Coordinates of all heavy atoms in Angstrom, one line a residue:
S38 N 104.5 97.9 97.4 CA 105.6 98.8 97.6 C 106.8 98.1 98.1 O 106.7 97.0 98.6 CB 105.1 99.9 98.6 OG 106.1 100.8 98.8
T39 N 107.9 98.8 98.1 CA 109.1 98.2 98.7 C 109.2 98.7 100.1 O 108.8 99.7 100.5 CB 110.4 98.6 97.9 OG1 110.4 100.0 97.8 CG2 110.4 98.0 96.5
S40 N 109.8 97.8 101.0 CA 109.9 98.1 102.4 C 111.1 98.9 102.7 O 112.1 98.4 103.2 CB 109.8 96.8 103.2 OG 110.8 95.9 102.8
V41 N 111.1 100.2 102.3 CA 112.2 101.1 102.6 C 111.6 102.4 103.3 O 110.5 102.7 103.2 CB 112.9 101.5 101.2 CG1 113.5 100.3 100.6 CG2 111.9 102.2 100.3
G42 N 112.5 103.0 103.9 CA 112.2 104.3 104.6 C 111.0 104.1 105.6 O 110.9 103.2 106.3
G43 N 110.1 105.0 105.5 CA 108.9 105.0 106.4 C 107.7 104.2 105.9 O 106.7 104.1 106.5
V44 N 107.9 103.6 104.7 CA 106.8 102.8 104.1 C 106.3 101.7 105.1 O 105.1 101.6 105.3 CB 107.1 102.2 102.7 CG1 106.0 101.4 102.2 CG2 107.4 103.4 101.8
P45 N 107.2 100.9 105.7 CA 106.6 99.9 106.6 C 105.9 100.4 107.8 O 105.0 99.7 108.4 CB 107.9 99.1 107.1 CG 108.9 99.4 106.0 CD 108.6 100.8 105.5
E46 N 106.1 101.7 108.2 CA 105.3 102.3 109.2 C 103.9 102.6 108.8 O 103.0 102.5 109.5 CB 106.0 103.6 109.6 CG 105.3 104.4 110.7 CD 105.9 105.7 111.0 OE1 107.1 106.0 110.7 OE2 105.2 106.5 111.6
M47 N 103.8 102.9 107.5 CA 102.5 103.2 107.0 C 101.6 102.0 106.5 O 100.4 102.0 106.6 CB 102.6 104.2 105.8 CG 103.2 105.5 106.1 SD 103.4 106.6 104.7 CE 101.7 106.9 104.4
L48 N 102.3 101.0 106.0 CA 101.6 99.8 105.5 C 101.9 98.6 106.2 O 103.1 98.3 106.4 CB 102.0 99.6 104.0 CG 101.7 100.7 103.0 CD1 102.3 100.4 101.6 CD2 100.3 101.1 102.9
E49 N 100.9 97.8 106.5 CA 101.1 96.5 107.1 C 101.0 95.5 105.9 O 100.0 95.5 105.2 CB 100.0 96.2 108.2 CG 100.2 94.8 108.8 CD 99.1 94.5 109.8 OE1 98.5 95.5 110.4 OE2 98.8 93.4 110.0
D50 N 102.0 94.7 105.7 CA 102.0 93.8 104.6 C 100.9 92.8 104.7 O 100.6 92.2 105.7 CB 103.3 93.0 104.6 CG 103.5 92.1 103.4 OD1 103.1 92.5 102.3 OD2 104.0 91.0 103.6
G51 N 100.1 92.8 103.5 CA 99.0 91.9 103.4 C 97.7 92.5 103.9 O 96.6 91.9 103.7
R52 N 97.8 93.6 104.6 CA 96.5 94.3 105.1 C 96.2 95.6 104.3 O 95.2 95.8 103.9 CB 96.6 94.5 106.6 CG 95.4 95.2 107.1 CD 95.5 95.4 108.6 NE 94.5 96.3 109.0 CZ 93.5 96.0 109.8 NH1 93.4 94.8 110.3 NH2 92.6 96.9 110.2
H53 N 97.2 96.4 104.3 CA 97.1 97.7 103.6 C 97.7 97.7 102.2 O 97.7 98.7 101.5 CB 97.7 98.8 104.4 CG 97.3 98.9 105.9 ND1 98.1 98.5 106.9 CD2 96.1 99.2 106.4 CE1 97.4 98.6 108.0 NE2 96.2 99.1 107.7
G54 N 98.4 96.7 101.9 CA 99.1 96.5 100.6 C 100.1 95.4 100.8 O 100.0 94.6 101.7
F55 N 101.0 95.4 99.8 CA 102.1 94.4 99.9 C 103.4 95.1 100.0 O 103.7 96.0 99.3 CB 102.1 93.5 98.7 CG 100.9 92.5 98.6 CD1 100.1 92.5 97.4 CD2 100.6 91.6 99.6 CE1 99.0 91.6 97.3 CE2 99.6 90.8 99.5 CZ 98.8 90.8 98.4
L56 N 104.2 94.6 100.9 CA 105.6 95.1 101.0 C 106.6 94.1 100.5 O 106.5 92.9 100.8 CB 105.9 95.4 102.5 CG 105.2 96.5 103.1 CD1 105.5 96.7 104.6 CD2 105.4 97.8 102.4
C57 N 107.5 94.5 99.7 CA 108.5 93.6 99.2 C 109.9 94.2 99.5 O 110.1 95.4 99.6 CB 108.4 93.6 97.6 SG 106.8 93.0 97.1
P58 N 110.9 93.3 99.7 CA 112.2 93.7 100.0 C 112.8 94.5 98.8 O 112.4 94.2 97.6 CB 113.0 92.4 100.2 CG 112.0 91.4 100.5 CD 110.7 91.8 99.8
P59 N 113.6 95.5 99.0 CA 114.1 96.3 97.9 C 114.9 95.4 97.0 O 115.6 94.5 97.5 CB 115.1 97.3 98.6 CG 114.6 97.3 100.0 CD 114.0 96.0 100.3
G60 N 114.7 95.5 95.7 CA 115.5 94.7 94.7 C 114.8 93.4 94.4 O 115.2 92.8 93.4
D61 N 113.8 93.0 95.1 CA 113.1 91.7 94.8 C 112.0 92.0 93.7 O 110.8 92.0 94.0 CB 112.5 91.1 96.0 CG 112.1 89.7 95.8 OD1 111.8 89.3 94.7 OD2 111.9 88.9 96.8
V62 N 112.4 92.2 92.5 CA 111.5 92.5 91.4 C 110.5 91.4 91.1 O 109.4 91.6 90.7 CB 112.2 93.0 90.1 CG1 113.0 94.3 90.4 CG2 113.2 92.0 89.6
D63 N 111.0 90.2 91.3 CA 110.1 89.0 91.0 C 108.9 89.0 92.0 O 107.7 88.8 91.6 CB 110.8 87.7 91.1 CG 111.8 87.5 90.0 OD1 111.6 88.1 88.9 OD2 112.8 86.8 90.2
L64 N 109.1 89.2 93.3 CA 108.1 89.3 94.3 C 107.2 90.5 94.0 O 105.9 90.4 94.1 CB 108.6 89.3 95.7 CG 107.6 89.3 96.8 CD1 106.7 88.1 96.7 CD2 108.3 89.4 98.2
L65 N 107.8 91.6 93.7 CA 107.0 92.8 93.4 C 106.1 92.6 92.2 O 104.9 92.9 92.3 CB 107.9 94.0 93.2 CG 107.2 95.4 93.0 CD1 106.4 95.8 94.2 CD2 108.3 96.4 92.7
A66 N 106.6 92.0 91.2 CA 105.8 91.7 90.0 C 104.6 90.7 90.4 O 103.5 90.9 90.0 CB 106.6 91.1 88.9
K67 N 105.0 89.7 91.1 CA 104.0 88.7 91.5 C 102.8 89.3 92.3 O 101.6 89.0 92.1 CB 104.6 87.6 92.4 CG 103.7 86.5 92.8 CD 104.5 85.5 93.7 CE 103.5 84.5 94.3 NZ 104.1 83.6 95.2
R68 N 103.2 90.1 93.3 CA 102.2 90.8 94.1 C 101.4 91.8 93.3 O 100.2 92.0 93.6 CB 102.8 91.4 95.4 CG 103.3 90.3 96.3 CD 103.7 90.8 97.6 NE 103.8 89.7 98.6 CZ 104.2 89.8 99.8 NH1 104.5 91.0 100.2 NH2 104.2 88.8 100.6
T69 N 102.0 92.5 92.4 CA 101.3 93.4 91.5 C 100.2 92.6 90.7 O 99.1 93.1 90.6 CB 102.2 94.2 90.6 OG1 103.1 94.9 91.4 CG2 101.5 95.1 89.7
L70 N 100.6 91.5 90.1 CA 99.7 90.7 89.4 C 98.6 90.2 90.3 O 97.4 90.1 89.8 CB 100.4 89.5 88.7 CG 101.3 89.8 87.5 CD1 102.1 88.6 87.1 CD2 100.5 90.4 86.4
T71 N 98.9 89.8 91.5 CA 97.8 89.4 92.4 C 96.7 90.4 92.6 O 95.6 90.2 92.5 CB 98.4 89.0 93.8 OG1 99.3 88.0 93.7 CG2 97.3 88.7 94.8
L72 N 97.2 91.7 92.7 CA 96.2 92.8 92.9 C 95.5 93.0 91.6 O 94.3 93.4 91.6 CB 96.9 94.1 93.3 CG 97.5 94.0 94.8 CD1 98.3 95.3 95.1 CD2 96.3 93.8 95.8
L73 N 96.1 92.9 90.4 CA 95.5 93.1 89.2 C 94.4 92.0 88.9 O 93.4 92.3 88.2 CB 96.5 93.2 88.0 CG 97.4 94.4 88.0 CD1 98.5 94.2 87.0 CD2 96.5 95.6 87.7
E74 N 94.7 90.8 89.4 CA 93.8 89.7 89.1 C 92.7 89.6 90.1 O 91.7 88.9 89.9 CB 94.6 88.4 89.1 CG 95.6 88.3 87.9 CD 96.6 87.2 88.0 OE1 96.6 86.5 89.1 OE2 97.3 87.0 87.0
D75 N 92.8 90.2 91.3 CA 91.8 90.0 92.4 C 91.3 91.4 92.7 O 91.9 92.1 93.6 CB 92.4 89.3 93.6 CG 91.4 89.0 94.6 OD1 90.3 89.6 94.7 OD2 91.7 88.1 95.5
R76 N 90.3 91.9 92.0 CA 89.8 93.2 92.2 C 89.3 93.4 93.7 O 89.5 94.5 94.2 CB 88.7 93.5 91.2 CG 88.2 94.9 91.3 CD 87.4 95.3 90.1 NE 86.8 96.6 90.1 CZ 87.4 97.8 90.0 NH1 88.7 97.8 89.8 NH2 86.7 98.9 90.1
Q77 N 88.6 92.4 94.2 CA 88.1 92.6 95.6 C 89.2 92.8 96.6 O 89.1 93.6 97.5 CB 87.2 91.4 96.0 CG 85.9 91.3 95.2 CD 85.1 92.5 95.5 OE1 84.9 93.4 94.6 NE2 84.5 92.6 96.7
L78 N 90.3 92.0 96.5 CA 91.4 92.2 97.3 C 92.0 93.6 97.2 O 92.3 94.3 98.2 CB 92.5 91.1 97.0 CG 93.8 91.2 97.8 CD1 93.6 91.0 99.3 CD2 94.8 90.2 97.2
C79 N 92.2 94.0 95.9 CA 92.8 95.3 95.7 C 91.9 96.4 96.3 O 92.4 97.3 97.0 CB 92.9 95.5 94.2 SG 93.6 97.1 93.7
L80 N 90.6 96.4 96.1 CA 89.7 97.4 96.6 C 89.7 97.4 98.1 O 89.6 98.4 98.8 CB 88.3 97.3 96.0 CG 88.2 97.5 94.5 CD1 86.8 97.2 94.0 CD2 88.6 98.9 94.1
G81 N 89.7 96.2 98.7 CA 89.7 96.0 100.1 C 90.9 96.6 100.8 O 90.8 97.4 101.8
M82 N 92.1 96.3 100.2 CA 93.3 96.9 100.7 C 93.3 98.4 100.5 O 93.8 99.1 101.4 CB 94.5 96.3 100.0 CG 94.9 94.9 100.4 SD 96.4 94.4 99.6 CE 96.7 92.9 100.5
R83 N 92.8 98.9 99.4 CA 92.7 100.3 99.2 C 91.9 101.0 100.3 O 92.3 102.0 100.8 CB 92.1 100.6 97.8 CG 91.9 102.1 97.5 CD 90.9 102.3 96.5 NE 89.6 102.0 96.9 CZ 88.5 102.0 96.1 NH1 88.6 102.4 94.9 NH2 87.3 101.7 96.6
D84 N 90.7 100.5 100.6 CA 89.9 101.1 101.6 C 90.5 101.1 103.0 O 90.4 102.1 103.7 CB 88.5 100.4 101.6 CG 87.7 100.6 100.3 OD1 88.1 101.5 99.5 OD2 86.8 99.8 100.0
V85 N 91.1 100.0 103.3 CA 91.7 99.9 104.7 C 92.9 100.8 104.8 O 93.1 101.5 105.8 CB 92.1 98.4 105.0 CG1 92.9 98.3 106.2 CG2 90.9 97.5 105.1
A86 N 93.7 100.9 103.7 CA 94.9 101.8 103.7 C 94.4 103.2 103.7 O 95.0 104.0 104.4 CB 95.7 101.5 102.4
R87 N 93.4 103.6 103.0 CA 92.9 105.0 103.0 C 92.5 105.4 104.4 O 92.8 106.5 104.9 CB 91.7 105.2 102.1 CG 91.2 106.6 102.1 CD 90.0 106.8 101.2 NE 90.5 106.8 99.8 CZ 89.8 106.4 98.8 NH1 88.6 105.9 98.9 NH2 90.4 106.4 97.6
K88 N 91.7 104.5 105.1 CA 91.3 104.8 106.5 C 92.5 105.0 107.4 O 92.5 105.9 108.3 CB 90.4 103.7 107.0 CG 89.0 103.7 106.4 CD 88.2 102.6 106.9 CE 86.9 102.5 106.1 NZ 86.1 101.3 106.4
R89 N 93.5 104.1 107.2 CA 94.7 104.2 108.1 C 95.5 105.6 107.8 O 95.9 106.2 108.8 CB 95.7 103.1 107.8 CG 96.9 103.1 108.6 CD 97.7 101.8 108.5 NE 99.0 101.9 109.0 CZ 99.3 101.9 110.3 NH1 98.4 101.9 111.2 NH2 100.6 102.0 110.8
V90 N 95.6 105.9 106.6 CA 96.3 107.2 106.2 C 95.5 108.4 106.8 O 96.1 109.3 107.4 CB 96.5 107.3 104.7 CG1 96.9 108.7 104.4 CG2 97.5 106.3 104.3
E91 N 94.2 108.4 106.6 CA 93.4 109.5 107.2 C 93.5 109.6 108.7 O 93.5 110.6 109.2 CB 91.9 109.3 106.7 CG 91.7 109.5 105.2 CD 90.3 109.2 104.8 OE1 89.5 108.6 105.6 OE2 90.0 109.5 103.6
M92 N 93.5 108.4 109.3 CA 93.6 108.4 110.8 C 94.9 108.8 111.4 O 95.0 109.6 112.3 CB 93.2 107.0 111.3 CG 93.2 106.9 112.8 SD 92.8 105.3 113.4 CE 91.1 105.1 112.9
F93 N 96.0 108.4 110.7 CA 97.3 108.6 111.3 C 98.2 109.5 110.6 O 99.2 110.0 111.1 CB 98.1 107.2 111.5 CG 97.4 106.3 112.4 CD1 96.7 105.2 112.0 CD2 97.5 106.5 113.8 CE1 96.1 104.3 112.9 CE2 96.8 105.7 114.7 CZ 96.2 104.6 114.2
F94 N 98.0 109.7 109.3 CA 99.0 110.5 108.5 C 98.4 111.7 107.8 O 99.1 112.3 107.0 CB 99.6 109.5 107.5 CG 100.3 108.4 108.2 CD1 99.8 107.1 108.2 CD2 101.6 108.6 108.8 CE1 100.4 106.1 108.8 CE2 102.2 107.5 109.4 CZ 101.6 106.3 109.4
S95 N 97.1 112.0 107.9 CA 96.5 113.1 107.2 C 97.0 114.4 107.9 O 97.5 114.4 109.1 CB 95.0 113.1 107.3 OG 94.5 113.3 108.6
F96 N 96.9 115.5 107.2 CA 97.3 116.8 107.8 C 96.5 117.1 109.1 O 97.1 117.5 110.1 CB 97.1 117.9 106.8 CG 97.4 119.3 107.4 CD1 98.8 119.7 107.5 CD2 96.5 120.1 107.8 CE1 99.1 120.9 108.0 CE2 96.8 121.4 108.3 CZ 98.1 121.7 108.4
S97 N 95.2 116.8 109.1 CA 94.4 117.2 110.3 C 94.8 116.3 111.5 O 94.8 116.8 112.6 CB 92.9 117.1 110.0 OG 92.6 115.8 109.6
S98 N 95.1 115.0 111.2 CA 95.4 114.1 112.4 C 96.8 114.5 112.9 O 97.1 114.5 114.1 CB 95.4 112.7 112.0 OG 96.4 112.3 111.1
R99 N 97.7 114.9 112.0 CA 99.1 115.3 112.4 C 99.0 116.6 113.2 O 99.7 116.8 114.2 CB 100.0 115.5 111.2 CG 100.1 114.2 110.3 CD 101.0 113.2 110.9 NE 102.3 113.6 110.7 CZ 103.3 112.7 110.9 NH1 103.1 111.5 111.2 NH2 104.6 113.1 110.8
L100 N 98.1 117.5 112.7 CA 98.0 118.8 113.4 C 97.4 118.6 114.8 O 97.8 119.1 115.8 CB 97.0 119.7 112.6 CG 96.7 121.1 113.2 CD1 98.0 121.9 113.4 CD2 95.7 121.8 112.4
H101 N 96.4 117.7 114.9 CA 95.8 117.4 116.2 C 96.8 116.8 117.2 O 96.9 117.2 118.4 CB 94.6 116.4 116.0 CG 94.0 116.0 117.3 ND1 93.2 116.8 118.1 CD2 94.0 114.8 117.9 CE1 92.8 116.1 119.1 NE2 93.3 114.9 119.1
N102 N 97.6 115.9 116.7 CA 98.7 115.3 117.5 C 99.7 116.3 118.0 O 100.2 116.3 119.1 CB 99.3 114.1 116.8 CG 98.4 112.9 116.7 OD1 97.5 112.7 117.5 ND2 98.6 112.1 115.7
M103 N 100.0 117.2 117.1 CA 101.0 118.3 117.4 C 100.4 119.2 118.5 O 101.1 119.6 119.4 CB 101.4 119.1 116.2 CG 102.5 120.0 116.4 SD 104.1 119.2 116.8 CE 104.5 118.5 115.3
E104 N 99.1 119.5 118.4 CA 98.5 120.4 119.4 C 98.5 119.7 120.7 O 98.7 120.3 121.8 CB 97.0 120.7 118.9 CG 97.0 121.7 117.8 CD 95.6 121.9 117.2 OE1 94.7 121.0 117.4 OE2 95.3 122.9 116.6
K105 N 98.2 118.4 120.7 CA 98.2 117.6 122.0 C 99.6 117.6 122.6 O 99.8 117.8 123.8 CB 97.8 116.2 121.8 CG 96.3 116.1 121.6 CD 95.8 114.7 121.2 CE 96.5 113.5 121.9 NZ 95.9 112.2 121.5
L106 N 100.6 117.5 121.8 CA 102.0 117.5 122.3 C 102.4 118.9 122.9 O 102.9 119.0 124.0 CB 103.0 117.2 121.1 CG 104.4 117.1 121.4 CD1 104.7 115.9 122.4 CD2 105.2 116.9 120.2
Y107 N 102.0 120.0 122.1 CA 102.3 121.3 122.7 C 101.5 121.5 124.0 O 102.1 122.1 124.9 CB 101.9 122.4 121.6 CG 102.9 122.5 120.5 CD1 102.5 122.7 119.2 CD2 104.3 122.5 120.8 CE1 103.4 122.9 118.2 CE2 105.2 122.7 119.7 CZ 104.7 122.9 118.5 OH 105.6 123.0 117.4
S108 N 100.3 121.1 124.0 CA 99.5 121.3 125.2 C 100.1 120.6 126.4 O 100.2 121.1 127.5 CB 98.1 120.8 125.0 OG 97.4 121.6 124.1
F109 N 100.6 119.4 126.1 CA 101.2 118.6 127.2 C 102.4 119.3 127.8 O 102.6 119.4 129.0 CB 101.7 117.2 126.6 CG 102.5 116.4 127.6 CD1 101.8 115.7 128.6 CD2 103.8 116.3 127.5 CE1 102.6 115.0 129.5 CE2 104.6 115.6 128.4 CZ 103.9 114.9 129.4
F110 N 103.3 119.9 126.9 CA 104.5 120.5 127.4 C 104.2 121.9 127.9 O 105.0 122.4 128.7 CB 105.5 120.6 126.2 CG 106.2 119.3 126.0 CD1 106.0 118.6 124.8 CD2 107.1 118.8 126.9 CE1 106.6 117.4 124.6 CE2 107.7 117.5 126.7 CZ 107.5 116.9 125.5
M111 N 103.1 122.5 127.5 CA 102.8 123.8 128.1 C 101.9 123.7 129.3 O 101.6 124.7 130.0 CB 102.0 124.6 127.0 CG 102.8 124.9 125.7 SD 104.4 125.8 126.1 CE 103.8 127.4 126.4
G112 N 101.5 122.5 129.7 CA 100.8 122.3 130.9 C 99.3 122.6 130.9 O 98.7 122.8 131.9
S113 N 98.7 122.6 129.7 CA 97.3 122.8 129.6 C 96.7 121.6 128.7 O 97.4 121.0 128.0 CB 96.9 124.1 128.9 OG 97.5 124.2 127.6
S114 N 95.4 121.5 128.8 CA 94.8 120.4 128.0 C 94.2 121.0 126.8 O 93.7 122.2 126.8 CB 93.7 119.7 128.8 OG 92.7 120.6 129.3
P115 N 94.1 120.2 125.7 CA 93.6 120.8 124.4 C 92.1 121.0 124.4 O 91.4 120.5 125.2 CB 93.9 119.7 123.4 CG 94.3 118.4 124.2 CD 94.6 118.9 125.6

């Protein structure tokens, strides 16, 4: 992916995927080929990224965090 917007918050370069500077099509192509040629690396990154998204960015985790925030400001525990 390119490192724009919120993408760097979601992905750690080399762990959950590859981040490339915007406009660097050569690096993006090189890293895409790396994933196409190394199935184990691709599947490993996929699995780690999926766990991260489920933990921090899924609807249920966002809802849980929002409930904790409301509870904090309302003075009660969840």
Side-chain angles (χ1 to χ4, degrees):
S38 181
T39 54
S40 54
V41 296
V44 175
E46 178 185 342
M47 295 180 69
L48 301 176
E49 180 183 335
D50 186 38
R52 179 177 167 116
H53 307 108
F55 289 126
L56 292 176
C57 302
D61 192 340
V62 295
D63 292 332
L64 182 59
L65 185 61
K67 179 181 174 187
R68 290 187 163 179
T69 300
L70 287 174
T71 297
L72 292 173
L73 289 172
E74 293 169 352
D75 189 339
R76 184 161 174 78
Q77 288 302 107
L78 176 64
C79 184
L80 295 176
M82 284 185 172
R83 178 200 66 184
D84 293 343
V85 173
R87 177 180 289 146
K88 288 177 185 171
R89 178 171 171 74
V90 168
E91 288 171 353
M92 183 180 293
F93 295 106
F94 301 102
S95 70
F96 178 78
S97 61
S98 68
R99 305 283 284 193
L100 180 61
H101 176 72
N102 289 335
M103 189 64 73
E104 288 172 340
K105 285 174 39 179
L106 183 64
Y107 283 139
S108 294
F109 174 78
F110 283 113
M111 299 303 286
S113 61
S114 59

